[in-house]
Amino acid sequence: MKTFCGRANPTTGALDWVEESEEYDYHQEIARSCYADMLHDHDRNQKYYQGIRAAVSRVKARGVKVIVLDIGTGTGLLSMMAVSAGADLCYAVEVFKPMADAAQNIVKKNGFSNKIKIINKHSTDVTVGPDGDMQMKANVLITELFDTELIGEGALPSYEHAHLHLVQEGCEAVPHRATVYAQLVESELLWSWAQLQPIEVDGARLAPPPAVGICAGAHSVCDIQLSQVSPQSFTALGPLCTMFSVDFSKPVSSALQSYSAQFVAQSSGRAQVVLSWWDLDMDPSGSIVCTMAPSWTYQEPKTAPWRDHWMQSVYFLPVESRVTEGEELSLTVCHDDYSLWFDLKTHRQEECRAVAPPPRPCCTCQAHLVWNRPRFGELNDRHRTDSFVAALRSVLREDSVCLSISDGSLLPVFAHMMGAKKVHVHPQHKQKMNHLNDLITWSLTRVPQVSVLMGEPYFSTSLLPWHSLFFWFCRSAVAGLLKPDASILPCTATLQMVAVEFQDLWRIRAPCGTCEGFDVTAMDDMKSLDFRESREAEPHPLWEYPCRALTPAAGVMTFDFTQCVPQHPMVSEGSLSGRCHGVALWMEYNLTEDVTVSGGLIGPIGEQGECQWTPHRRQGVYFFRSPWDTTADARAGVSYTLTFEPSLGDIKMDFSIKSQ
């Protein structure tokens, strides 16, 4: 059975109707997931296996049968570990049907069907009793319900329900305990992701509105690979604090909780940011620990395990405050059933604090609803601002009439400060302006002949670098409003490409094969993993994922914004030599002939292929499904064909292994 799906085209703004399989949502969910990352996380798997063996042994020592409940079983890996360790029966709960089906196949292939029962339900819907999903309550509880924030996937409500209805009192739990840590720091880099800073434009100071300066900002966590944030980019104002622990072997509450840690400031500075991560103790003694600590906390950073399914968290304090070395401080963390937030008080303020915990921060200025955190960082990038100011200076005249097309851009403010006669800003693009006719109608009624059309370009709905070509479609829509000698800024854009070898990111797309001795090839064989979402470029912030360039960066396609979008496809063909995991793609914008802004590499490639990527934009990554094929023959390489389809507003990519 087929169904029609409405999909907003991020490049053209049009609403496309596409015929899809009725299982489309399932397939794309799995294709875009990172199950392989978890299966390749040897440290996680080994720690779980050790904890499961120990828990099963403790129950067996009591002389009773070992009945396991595995909530969120995924591939069934942890259930198979439990049975291999000696469990008598395992109830494996998985709410996502395609994964439950995959787990069923994997369990059968490994010969555990007689001891593992797959239950395709949410754990809160599971029943216990003679006619229920479980014939008896479990005495071992195994879960993997965690995200970077620990509780963001609903771990607390699931544990709360399980202890009330699904497991025996005094059950064993793997993991046994989780502990959350936090450290107060000052960081100009990280704080630039939270608050708009004053900007210098031609000697004049542009300060953000007061409402923005006092806004507590967005409350949601900023999850990043903190190992890639150099310790030199922040100053620790206090020690690493143990904020709270959760014992999963006992009843758990999902109600609002708050915890405080008191400490003495070890440095003077501006309290801005809290860095946080957590550990899992797989056994009661805490001898089997799986930690999310960033690599720079290790004596040997290279020994730190890499994982992308669990990272570290950055929280921005509601208010920046000055602290003095030796001052007594109190850091408070609050959590509800799904999220955490932090607050800082001096010892004196803490004594006067009301009984109620600090409220969850929320945005009152609207800016944090329009700009995401990388966007704040981009707007605070002085070098980037200087590039745009230099470009505007070269095209603006006293009689300039400007039209800006970008979401939440400061370019109109810059142009006004620099003396433009009139500056017009198109309203925020609601639903990406499903019809460009909206722009034409608006422009005809409000804008005289335009002498400068400008854009960064930035659009909040853009996912891949070339989605910003929406600017080109807008430029074409208003072509009749442009003066013959109008300046277009940027005047051109170039799609850049480089072949890369990733240090770790390749794991998220690598075949699983055998995991800790269990055959999980059924995951590799799933139709979903060969679905088209797995064969398209995907966005990644490559500054968080070290890679080595194997070829020089090359412009593979150029888009001339001084002309309208062509009617016919644009095609680029070429080849890459050597071994690589895939290619990285990004856009470079030529604001003028002399000024360029990059959405990818921001420095020359190093002698060993080292890459420095902008932290403000995501790059497109096209993973090769079999990168190892290119090493079978030293003469092997990859040929590519890139096709820009104006009617689709997208770039289709075809890569194939070839012999030279």
Side-chain angles (χ1 to χ4, degrees):
M1 180 178 176
K2 298 287 187 178
T3 184
F4 283 98
C5 296
R7 189 176 303 133
N9 187 307
T11 307
T12 66
L15 182 64
D16 298 334
W17 289 94
V18 183
E19 189 179 56
E20 299 285 6
S21 162
E22 64 179 342
E23 296 181 334
Y24 169 72
D25 287 340
Y26 285 164
H27 290 315
Q28 70 165 350
E29 182 72 22
I30 295 176
R32 291 170 175 166
S33 71
C34 294
Y35 283 104
D37 172 31
M38 291 184 282
L39 294 174
H40 286 295
D41 188 346
H42 182 67
D43 178 74
R44 161 196 176 272
N45 299 339
Q46 280 289 299
K47 300 294 176 55
Y48 260 101
Y49 210 167
Q50 292 170 26
I52 289 170
R53 287 193 189 101
V56 170
S57 295
R58 289 194 297 274
V59 175
K60 278 188 169 296
R62 301 170 195 162
V64 298
K65 287 187 175 182
V66 180
I67 309 300
V68 174
L69 172 61
D70 175 10
I71 301 179
T73 194
T75 60
L77 176 65
L78 302 184
S79 291
M80 293 189 294
M81 288 179 176
V83 173
S84 295
D88 296 283
L89 180 62
C90 184
Y91 296 105
V93 181
E94 176 55 52
V95 68
F96 190 41
K97 188 177 186 305
M99 284 309 304
D101 292 343
Q104 193 79 59
N105 292 334
I106 292 171
V107 165
K108 181 179 179 180
K109 191 168 187 177
N110 286 273
F112 295 115
S113 295
N114 62 328
K115 288 194 174 184
I116 298 176
K117 179 182 178 181
I118 305 296
I119 303 173
N120 181 208
K121 287 185 175 181
H122 194 285
S123 65
T124 55
D125 296 326
V126 171
T127 57
V128 180
D131 299 321
D133 302 304
M134 300 170 59
Q135 273 61 59
M136 65 198 78
K137 289 186 176 182
N139 50 22
V140 176
L141 175 58
I142 300 173
T143 62
E144 209 282 48
L145 299 171
F146 313 113
D147 69 348
T148 293
E149 204 173 12
L150 182 66
I151 64 173
E153 291 185 0
L156 294 181
S158 296
Y159 273 111
E160 186 174 42
H161 177 271
H163 277 285
L164 287 172
H165 303 287
L166 305 179
V167 299
Q168 302 172 19
E169 185 178 353
C171 73
E172 299 289 342
V174 182
H176 178 83
R177 177 175 45 247
T179 303
V180 174
Y181 303 94
Q183 186 169 35
L184 179 69
V185 303
E186 173 185 356
S187 173
E188 181 180 354
L189 169 66
L190 299 178
W191 190 243
S192 73
W193 299 349
Q195 294 291 345
L196 190 62
Q197 305 301 313
I199 299 171
E200 296 289 332
V201 179
D202 270 5
R205 188 174 187 267
L206 175 63
V212 176
I214 63 174
C215 179
H219 77 272
S220 58
V221 64
C222 177
D223 53 340
I224 64 171
Q225 292 283 357
L226 201 53
S227 295
Q228 300 308 313
V229 176
S230 169
Q232 280 69 50
S233 65
F234 62 84
T235 300
L237 301 180
L240 183 65
C241 299
T242 300
M243 299 306 302
F244 68 93
S245 294
V246 182
D247 186 338
F248 297 125
S249 70
K250 299 177 181 178
V252 171
S253 173
S254 61
L256 178 67
Q257 304 279 346
S258 67
Y259 308 87
S260 295
Q262 283 73 41
F263 60 93
V264 174
Q266 61 189 39
S267 300
S268 297
R270 295 171 298 162
Q272 300 167 325
V273 175
V274 175
L275 310 181
S276 180
W277 56 87
W278 44 268
D279 289 349
L280 293 177
D281 290 332
M282 296 298 181
D283 66 326
S285 68
S287 60
I288 308 169
V289 181
C290 184
T291 178
M292 305 309 122
S295 63
W296 37 259
T297 64
Y298 285 67
Q299 287 188 340
E300 296 291 337
K302 291 185 178 180
T303 65
W306 182 88
R307 46 177 69 97
D308 204 44
H309 54 103
W310 296 331
M311 295 185 280
Q312 295 79 36
S313 300
V314 173
Y315 296 91
F316 302 98
L317 291 174
V319 179
E320 178 187 46
S321 58
R322 175 71 63 175
V323 300
T324 305
E325 182 178 356
E327 186 176 10
E328 295 182 351
L329 301 174
S330 178
L331 182 65
T332 298
V333 61
C334 301
H335 74 75
D336 53 19
D337 48 352
Y338 283 94
S339 61
L340 281 67
W341 61 95
F342 286 81
D343 189 50
L344 180 71
K345 292 286 187 289
T346 64
H347 182 67
R348 183 176 302 174
Q349 290 172 322
E350 183 66 17
E351 290 178 342
C352 300
R353 187 199 291 269
V355 176
R360 181 205 307 270
C362 67
C363 176
T364 56
C365 71
Q366 308 302 312
H368 299 87
L369 305 180
V370 176
W371 298 325
N372 59 22
R373 293 193 172 99
R375 178 61 170 164
F376 267 96
E378 188 170 61
L379 294 173
N380 286 323
D381 187 327
R382 297 185 184 92
H383 177 73
R384 183 176 179 276
T385 295
D386 290 344
S387 295
F388 277 100
V389 169
L392 284 171
R393 188 183 300 117
S394 69
V395 299
L396 287 179
R397 304 291 181 267
E398 290 183 357
D399 60 349
S400 290
V401 175
C402 304
L403 172 61
S404 175
I405 301 177
S406 270
D407 287 350
S409 176
L410 298 179
L411 292 187
V413 181
F414 296 169
H416 172 73
M417 294 177 67
M418 297 172 69
K421 180 180 179 181
K422 287 187 178 180
V423 181
H424 297 269
V425 183
H426 188 270
Q428 292 294 320
H429 305 281
K430 296 180 180 178
Q431 296 182 351
K432 200 61 176 170
M433 292 194 311
N434 287 336
H435 301 287
L436 287 172
N437 289 334
D438 293 349
L439 175 58
I440 299 173
T441 302
W442 178 86
S443 300
L444 288 173
T445 57
R446 292 172 174 81
V447 182
Q449 288 286 290
V450 173
S451 53
V452 178
L453 178 67
M454 57 188 181
E456 300 188 38
Y458 170 83
F459 302 104
S460 59
T461 52
S462 296
L463 296 176
L464 291 163
W466 45 93
H467 289 168
S468 60
L469 290 176
F470 182 59
F471 175 79
W472 201 11
F473 286 85
C474 291
R475 175 259 180 269
S476 301
V478 300
L481 301 177
L482 303 179
K483 289 184 176 181
D485 60 347
S487 297
I488 313 295
L489 189 158
C491 55
T492 63
T494 303
L495 179 65
Q496 299 281 332
M497 182 169 72
V498 63
V500 293
E501 182 179 45
F502 287 106
Q503 180 175 303
D504 296 296
L505 189 61
W506 60 271
R507 302 173 196 271
I508 70 172
R509 290 290 173 257
C512 304
T514 300
C515 180
E516 309 306 327
F518 301 99
D519 185 346
V520 293
T521 52
M523 272 295 295
D524 303 331
D525 298 335
M526 288 181 71
K527 176 183 175 183
S528 297
L529 296 182
D530 194 38
F531 199 56
R532 71 161 181 272
E533 265 78 6
S534 67
R535 290 180 278 112
E536 295 179 350
E538 52 192 78
H540 288 283
L542 291 185
W543 74 271
E544 295 185 55
Y545 303 103
C547 62
R548 186 168 67 94
L550 302 179
T551 63
V556 293
M557 194 172 283
T558 297
F559 310 96
D560 186 355
F561 296 157
T562 66
Q563 305 296 319
C564 291
V565 176
Q567 299 296 313
H568 303 291
M570 298 169 56
V571 179
S572 175
E573 297 180 335
S575 62
L576 305 168
S577 298
R579 179 184 189 277
C580 54
H581 292 124
V583 296
L585 303 110
W586 68 97
M587 298 289 275
E588 281 192 359
Y589 300 102
N590 301 305
L591 305 184
T592 65
E593 292 183 358
D594 303 318
V595 182
T596 300
V597 172
S598 174
L601 287 176
I602 54 175
I605 295 173
E607 292 183 1
Q608 302 301 317
E610 303 92 342
C611 298
Q612 184 182 3
W613 302 94
T614 175
H616 309 317
R617 299 257 176 145
R618 294 189 175 204
Q619 292 71 47
V621 178
Y622 188 103
F623 290 98
F624 298 153
R625 282 179 285 176
S626 301
W628 45 88
D629 286 349
T630 62
T631 61
D633 184 342
R635 298 170 299 171
V638 178
S639 62
Y640 65 83
T641 301
L642 308 182
T643 305
F644 173 65
E645 293 278 2
S647 60
L648 301 176
D650 199 7
I651 297 177
K652 299 300 180 183
M653 302 182 182
D654 178 58
F655 292 86
S656 59
I657 305 297
K658 67 180 182 65
S659 296
Q660 295 180 335

